């Protein structure tokens, strides 16, 4: 039997999984992200028990995805204590003489959703997670979108909602999407954690306005066949319809969108893991 | 000898060209865009004299680029008199039993620049024209970016310059790039045609701010290896450096850009024609 491994390397936890040839998950473990040596010791312990044919890694970023670069495979300028300039891919390769696929967590999720989730039957789709931060990944003509680096879609600038003067939570930008619409911004605005806010709270209109504006710009630049929304904030399912309405308003009829354009995840919380497993299998 | 044909179908003129196997241009003609029948009669007259192996068309839009669609090859919702819902590709195919490549004018320009212009040695580049309108095209991993449709990058929303309250010239959007930064907006703001404005006029700071903001968003979403700027407004060569500076300011150090990231065209006014010829040759 052939096995494939997946690592969703997040800033809070590493979710590791092993699956069989059909990508059915056999075992899964969640390991706290502490320091690289400590976390990786547990990762190794988990995978050492399997004979893997390939491994796929979707990592928190920023990371270096440029294969020509000297720091390819590194987590680069993260503020996460101990992880800055960590050669994560190198450390994994040292341990396992395997083909290891390497991309961002959100790219892996986009890839998983395109193949086996809400983006089935498309070749171009975009995945956006709205949670502690906002991050996006895209698949273009069937391949993960990388350029000189990976996208950083959460930091695009957005125009202010006319009634919003909230101070951005982003240390880099006064009016980027993440700074105005990620979970911490919701909480700071209202004094209440997003998951505890009533569905009819006015803040959801502001939230939908910013997310829709970003989706409008993604649409006008990338023209994906489908946009898939995940992450903690999107557990507020009433938000989807608000975003769809605001998007139509902001587009002003300029573009006709495909049916069922803005949707939730088809793979629940497994988008990233499935994406990593697919990449692992393809690379093996 | 094998010949390839190119049509840059613009709202003002159709530029048609014929080139040899090396893509050296043998003959070129500019035909006014009047009504489809009239304009195409002249296009046919021009190409009828050659035995072509393939033809590449880069058209003004919006156009239908989805091969699965019933209206593939049409110019769709243009306000241009007589051209709305015109099956341009179909009319060309009726006349010439040839492989005919079909994309937008700006996609063709992006493709030409990537292969033989300022984007040589890249696989991912973005071309933006700033003139009567603002339009963008992109090449991703060597292929022209199409999704459910072609990009409409000129209509992304931008945040206002703090000192700008100018009314957008776009009938669809109050604060899109085209409405605030295309040639007509420059002229309406100042009462003077852009090409006559002094290089030290304050409006260029505003112009650079909007263009840089758009380039920031393109960068964060697409991560191109290079951004190439063309069109009438970019003949103001002092603008390039202003845009570079404003882009760095607005990014706030969040992303490190490649060297020589923002550049002018490498093919002068020929980006589109060369792109169409390349597409014609590849499709033949």
């Amino acid at each position: 039997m052939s096995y494939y491994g997946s690592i969703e390397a997040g800033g809070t936890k590493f979710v590791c999984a092993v699956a069989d040839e059909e990508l059915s998950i056999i075992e899964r473990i969640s390991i706290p992200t502490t320091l690289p040596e400590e976390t990786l010791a547990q990762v190794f312990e988990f995978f050492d028990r399997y004979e893997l044919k390939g491994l796929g890694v979707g990592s928190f970023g920023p990371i270096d995805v440029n294969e020509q670069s000297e720091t390819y495979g590194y987590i680069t300028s993260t503020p996460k204590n101990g992880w800055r300039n960590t050669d994560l891919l190198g450390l994994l390769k040292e341990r396992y003489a395997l083909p290891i696929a390497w991309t961002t967590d959100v790219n892996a999720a986009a890839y998983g959703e395109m193949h086996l989730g809400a983006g089935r039957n498309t070749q171009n789709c975009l995945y956006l997670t709205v949670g502690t931060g906002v991050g996006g990944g895209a698949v273009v003509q069937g391949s993960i979108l990388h350029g000189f680096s990976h996208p950083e879609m959460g930091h695009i600038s957005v125009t202010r909602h006319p009634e919003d003067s909230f101070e951005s939570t982003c240390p880099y930008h006064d009016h980027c999407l993440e700074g105005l619409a990620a979970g911490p911004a919701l909480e700071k605005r209202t004094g209440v954690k997003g998951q505890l806010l009533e569905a009819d709270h006015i803040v959801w209109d502001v939230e939908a306005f910013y997310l829709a504006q970003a989706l409008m710009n993604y649409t006008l630049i990338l023209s994906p066949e489908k946009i898939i929304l995940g992450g903690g904030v999107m557990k507020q399912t009433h938000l989807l319809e608000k975003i769809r309405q605001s998007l139509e308003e902001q587009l002003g009829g300029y573009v006709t969108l495909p049916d069922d354009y803005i949707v939730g995840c088809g793979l629940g919380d497994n988008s990233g893991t499935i994406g990593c497993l697919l990449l692992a299998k393809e690379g093996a």
Side-chain angles (χ1 to χ4, degrees), chain A residues 130-135 153-158 160 164-189 206-207 210-211:
Chain A
V130 189
T132 315
V134 178
M153 301 193 194
H155 288 269
I156 66 165
S157 76
V158 285
R160 288 271 175 182
D164 185 43
S165 59
F166 174 75
E167 192 182 336
S168 165
T169 62
C170 174
Y172 295 93
H173 309 116
D174 293 338
H175 46 78
C176 76
L177 179 64
E178 178 169 299
L180 297 178
L186 273 173
E187 188 177 341
K188 217 170 148 193
R189 256 201 191 89
V206 176
E207 181 75 7
Y210 287 126
L211 290 172

Side-chain angles (χ1 to χ4, degrees), chain A residues 76-89:
Chain A
T76 57
S77 56
T78 176
K80 173 87 187 163
N81 190 26
W83 291 85
R84 196 181 173 90
N85 299 325
T86 296
D87 182 10
L88 180 53
L89 180 61

Side-chain angles (χ1 to χ4, degrees), chain A residues 5-48:
Chain A
S6 155
I7 304 178
E8 262 195 287
T12 310
K13 60 187 189 214
F14 275 45
V15 176
C16 302
V18 168
D20 62 18
E21 193 73 40
E22 276 73 45
L23 302 192
S24 295
I25 293 170
I26 289 167
E27 195 181 354
R28 180 202 313 257
I29 192 174
S30 177
I31 298 164
T33 310
T34 54
L35 290 170
E37 208 172 310
E38 197 174 45
T39 301
L40 283 176
Q42 291 179 262
V43 170
F44 295 155
E45 201 184 317
F46 176 74
F47 285 118
D48 280 355

Side-chain angles (χ1 to χ4, degrees), chain A residues 4 33 77 84 98 131 143 162 167 170 175 204 219 246 253 255-256 259 268-269 279-280 282:
Chain A
Y4 301 100
T33 310
S77 56
R84 196 181 173 90
L98 284 176
S143 301
E167 192 182 336
C170 174
H175 46 78
W204 294 120
T219 298
S246 181
V255 171
T256 305
D259 293 338
D269 294 328
L279 291 167
E282 280 164 23

